[in-house]
Amino acid sequence: MRVSVIGGSGVGAETYERAVEVGRLLGERGHTVVCGGLTGVMEAVCKGASGTGAETIGILPGEDRDAANEWVVTPIATGLGHARNSLVVCNGDAVVAIDGAAGTLSELGLALAFHRPIAGLGTHEIDLEGFEAVGTPIEAVEHVERTVEER
């Protein structure tokens, strides 16, 4: 399964480590990580997944594939800026949101529009069908696995 992981580009140490753990868990369970390919949560989730040998895909806002963080296996340059957020969520079967600001909020809205199940870990609270707030990285991974399997 492909899991899009979205979140803040500038995060503190605790959030960074939570994102590393999400990436590690996804990788250990054989999933591919899709993200925006840059810093913060995107970097951390790729770092965690890469330690397991998992595929990581970074869908970048700019035209330079070399702008991806060092743990992105497959960088995809788009030249679309924030409009690339649609591609990030559309290319996952489910979404894990960690932290985040306006860009993450836009991705959450797109994920709901694309009917992707979402696990929210310390991110925006959304009271809409399809969004589930969770408390730990393992709860986030188990939620998206279970929800996709049930579909």
Side-chain angles (χ1 to χ4, degrees):
M1 171 171 67
R2 284 187 180 183
V3 179
S4 298
V5 180
I6 60 175
S9 60
V11 298
E14 182 179 334
T15 299
Y16 190 93
E17 289 307 313
R18 290 173 95 183
V20 168
E21 179 69 4
V22 168
R24 183 186 66 76
L25 290 166
L26 289 169
E28 287 176 351
R29 291 167 175 248
H31 304 302
T32 296
V33 169
V34 179
C35 70
L38 298 176
T39 60
V41 165
M42 298 168 278
E43 175 184 303
V45 74
C46 288
K47 181 178 181 180
S50 71
T52 69
E55 173 74 13
T56 57
I57 300 169
I59 300 178
L60 303 162
E63 299 175 21
D64 182 9
R65 290 190 310 267
D66 293 332
N69 71 65
E70 66 183 284
W71 292 283
V72 170
V73 174
T74 305
I76 299 172
T78 67
L80 295 173
H82 286 289
R84 71 75 152 86
N85 291 356
S86 177
L87 299 174
V88 173
V89 297
C90 188
N91 280 283
D93 301 301
V95 174
V96 174
I98 305 168
D99 191 65
T104 304
L105 186 57
S106 75
E107 289 169 318
L108 285 166
L110 289 162
L112 290 167
F114 290 135
H115 306 288
R116 300 301 194 265
I118 305 164
L121 183 58
T123 192
H124 306 276
E125 288 293 325
I126 299 175
D127 187 21
L128 292 171
E129 185 177 336
F131 179 89
E132 181 73 29
V134 296
T136 66
I138 189 67
E139 289 174 358
V141 172
E142 288 176 348
H143 173 73
V144 296
E145 287 176 332
R146 182 178 58 255
T147 307
V148 169
E149 186 177 296
E150 290 172 354
R151 287 188 165 190

